[in-house]
Amino acid sequence: MCGQRMSKIKVAINGFGTIGKRVADAVDAQDDMELVGVTKTGPSFGCDLAVKKGFPLYCTFDEPDRIARFADQGYVCSGGLSDLLAITDVVVDCSPGKTGAENLAKYQAAGVKYMFQGGEKHTLTGRSYTSSANHAENLNVEGTRVVSCNTTGLSRTLVPLYDHCGSLKVECTMIRRAADPGDSGKGPINAIKPVLKVPSHHGPDVMTVKPEIEINSLAVAVPTTIMHTHAITADLPPGHGLTTESILDMWRETPRVIVMHGADNRITTTAEVMEMARDIGRKWGDLHEIFVWEDGVSLQGDRLYYFQAIHQESDVIPENVDCIRALMGTESDWQTSVAKTDAAIDIYYNL
Ligand SMILES: NC(=O)c1ccc[n+]([C@@H]2O[C@H](COP(=O)([O-])OP(=O)(O)OC[C@H]3O[C@@H](n4cnc5c(N)ncnc54)[C@H](OP(=O)(O)O)[C@@H]3O)[C@@H](O)[C@H]2O)c1
């Protein structure tokens, strides 16, 4: 611990959508945090979830007419964003990507600490965060950005590899889900869509949290909603001393990574991975862990090949909790924070 806090960290969630509702639950699970409120832009079915959980509901905006609309539809709205920020230590911005700049000005004016998500650019805060890569660099800072689901997934398996090897050169292809399951506005629905910006932003984004890893990426969007898959090639430096088996052992010991034999377990596609996730029992069938197919890992000479699957809606959720502790300076050791976060979430879901 960096310092003893007598009171719980007061956390607000601005944007109670796919990511926001999940971060809210994960924060609610922690005994060192208090969820002081969540925002919605207006009344909708998503408000019912906040009401059911007993999370105070606020309006994303301060205009009285927008706040009044909640009562018109039977919801108790505790005020506007400014009212919420007035009782907050850290705000977790879970708004749609690229709304960050406008919101950042509000957070700075209110004098609260702030975290954005991967839909915002690194330049918005000049900092990025993922637990295993750079928790220490984010201790006690005013604000940062939790990197995207893909960058989080790449970091989970590449950072321990880099830490062992001391250097790493990576090429990867992101096979991306086209839309989240609840998102009816995106495609493709019958096409494979290459991202024609080369390299895609995903690989270089890893370098915002671990600049020492040399990495580039390509990306294609495919008509599926449940997971991303990464096909990764990593060149290890001479003298690394690793074997396929020792790399698998390294990942088995890495927090938030699951290694399973696809053929032996009959988990050979993302459909079965997500079915297993539903069996685990977290809400929404979430899988916070990165899934690595054991039988898809092969070290040939100094070149490592592997596949991993990413549950895009949930791998960043526990990272947000660790990031709150980094910003508040209440836990300097990332592994201690990760263990605390994950244990609390598992208790919350009776796992
Ligand atoms: N979904 C993923 O797979 C995923 C994974 C990792 C990271 N991210 C990143 O996480 C962030 C949120 O994504 P999401 O998928 O959760 O989006 P989402 O499902 O669309 O949720 C965004 C929420 O923010 C609310 N909102 C709209 N305008 C706002 C504003 N100006 N200020 C505050 N809230 C506002 C939305 O409106 P209502 O209140 O009207 O509902 C909605 O509830 C993005 O940066 C995204 O790139 C997403």
Side-chain angles (χ1 to χ4, degrees):
M1 291 279 289
C2 302
Q4 291 295 328
R5 282 183 65 85
M6 299 307 289
S7 55
K8 295 185 178 191
I9 304 168
K10 295 185 168 53
V11 182
I13 310 289
N14 191 21
F16 194 59
T18 307
I19 298 298
K21 67 187 178 186
R22 289 171 163 84
V23 175
D25 264 17
V27 166
D28 192 40
Q30 310 301 316
D31 65 9
D32 56 342
M33 299 180 192
E34 177 189 354
L35 186 70
V36 291
V38 303
T39 73
K40 291 295 280 180
T41 60
S44 71
F45 74 92
C47 297
D48 292 332
L49 185 62
V51 172
K52 190 171 155 198
K53 299 285 306 190
F55 300 154
L57 185 60
Y58 287 79
C59 179
T60 312
F61 306 100
D62 286 336
E63 290 85 349
D65 61 319
R66 296 193 75 143
I67 296 171
R69 277 183 223 159
F70 286 84
D72 293 345
Q73 294 202 28
Y75 296 108
V76 175
C77 178
S78 302
L81 180 65
S82 299
D83 299 308
L84 177 57
L85 295 179
I87 55 165
T88 293
D89 295 321
V90 184
V91 57
V92 185
D93 186 293
C94 300
S95 64
K98 302 183 182 62
T99 48
E102 200 180 318
N103 285 347
L104 175 59
K106 296 176 186 172
Y107 306 150
Q108 287 173 328
V112 297
K113 297 206 173 201
Y114 47 85
M115 293 159 44
F116 289 90
Q117 305 300 315
E120 303 297 338
K121 288 203 161 64
H122 174 76
T123 47
L124 179 70
T125 60
R127 294 183 185 280
S128 292
Y129 175 91
T130 196
S131 310
S132 64
N134 65 347
H135 185 84
E137 287 163 25
N138 283 276
L139 285 174
N140 295 304
V141 302
E142 286 308 302
T144 192
R145 173 190 75 129
V146 174
V147 291
S148 74
C149 50
N150 280 306
T151 308
T152 298
L154 289 168
S155 301
R156 288 256 180 93
T157 47
L158 290 174
V159 169
L161 213 49
Y162 171 83
D163 286 346
H164 176 90
C165 294
S167 75
L168 206 54
K169 235 176 149 172
V170 182
E171 300 289 340
C172 51
T173 302
M174 318 280 99
I175 301 145
R176 298 179 48 226
R177 62 89 177 94
D180 287 338
D183 187 350
S184 60
K186 286 187 188 160
I189 57 168
N190 186 25
I192 296 173
K193 185 179 178 187
V195 174
L196 298 177
K197 182 181 171 297
V198 177
S200 72
H201 69 273
H202 308 91
D205 201 35
V206 172
M207 297 168 81
T208 66
V209 289
K210 199 73 179 171
E212 301 89 343
I213 297 177
E214 280 182 66
I215 175 167
N216 268 316
S217 59
L218 296 173
V220 292
V222 296
T224 181
T225 62
I226 54 177
M227 291 192 106
H228 303 303
T229 300
H230 297 168
I232 301 172
T233 306
D235 286 325
L236 314 186
H240 53 76
L242 293 168
T243 62
T244 301
E245 207 37 60
S246 68
I247 291 168
L248 286 165
D249 285 342
M250 176 189 292
W251 286 333
R252 285 189 188 101
E253 284 163 23
T254 301
R256 300 175 185 158
V257 173
I258 292 177
V259 178
M260 284 181 82
H261 198 281
D264 288 356
N265 292 290
R266 293 198 289 168
I267 301 187
T268 55
T269 75
T270 53
E272 288 108 18
V273 174
M274 285 317 291
E275 187 61 17
M276 182 197 71
R278 287 187 279 270
D279 289 348
I280 288 175
R282 294 195 191 105
K283 201 150 90 186
W284 301 288
D286 284 354
L287 188 67
H288 297 158
E289 297 82 357
I290 305 309
F291 184 95
V292 177
W293 280 278
E294 182 182 329
D295 31 351
V297 179
S298 179
L299 183 63
Q300 300 189 5
D302 291 333
R303 180 164 286 178
L304 173 69
Y305 297 89
Y306 67 104
F307 295 101
Q308 61 182 18
I310 312 296
H311 186 225
Q312 75 278 354
E313 296 171 289
S314 72
D315 69 332
V316 299
I317 303 307
E319 309 279 326
N320 273 270
V321 174
D322 300 329
C323 187
I324 292 167
R325 292 197 188 100
L327 258 55
M328 295 305 292
T330 55
E331 182 49 72
S332 58
D333 178 56
W334 73 271
Q335 284 176 310
T336 305
S337 179
V338 163
K340 183 174 173 56
T341 300
D342 294 355
I345 289 171
D346 283 356
I347 291 165
Y348 196 71
Y349 290 124
N350 296 315
L351 301 180

